[in-house]
Amino acid sequence: GPLGLLGNLIWLVLAGWWLALGHVVTAVLLAVTIIGIPFAWAHLKLAGLALWPIGKMIVPVEDPALPYARRW
C-alpha cells in the first residue's frame, strides 16, 4: 500500500543503499573463488532485499508452500 511505498522510499534513502552496496561488494569478493560463488549469490539476493524490504516475506524452504508467499 501507500504506507509501505513511503516506508520503502525512506528506508532506501537512509539505509538501504548502504546495506545493498555492502552486500554487492561482499558478493564480488566471494565470487573470486569457486567455493564462494553460492555465498556470493546469496549476498546478491540479500542486496535486493536490503533495497526494498517492506512487504517482503522470508519463508524457510522446509515450510509447506503458503498461498500468499512467492517462491523463487
Side-chain angles (χ1 to χ4, degrees):
L3 289 178
L5 178 67
L6 181 65
N8 274 325
L9 288 173
I10 291 171
W11 173 259
L12 178 69
V13 171
L14 296 179
W17 70 277
W18 278 107
L19 285 173
L21 181 65
H23 281 297
V24 169
V25 169
T26 304
V28 168
L29 293 174
L30 285 171
V32 172
T33 66
I34 292 175
I35 295 172
I37 291 175
F39 299 108
W41 184 248
H43 273 284
L44 289 176
K45 290 180 185 179
L46 288 172
L49 185 64
L51 283 176
W52 210 255
I54 298 174
K56 301 272 175 82
M57 183 187 320
I58 299 174
V59 180
V61 175
E62 297 83 27
D63 285 354
L66 299 174
Y68 52 84
R70 271 200 224 165
R71 296 210 180 244
W72 298 105

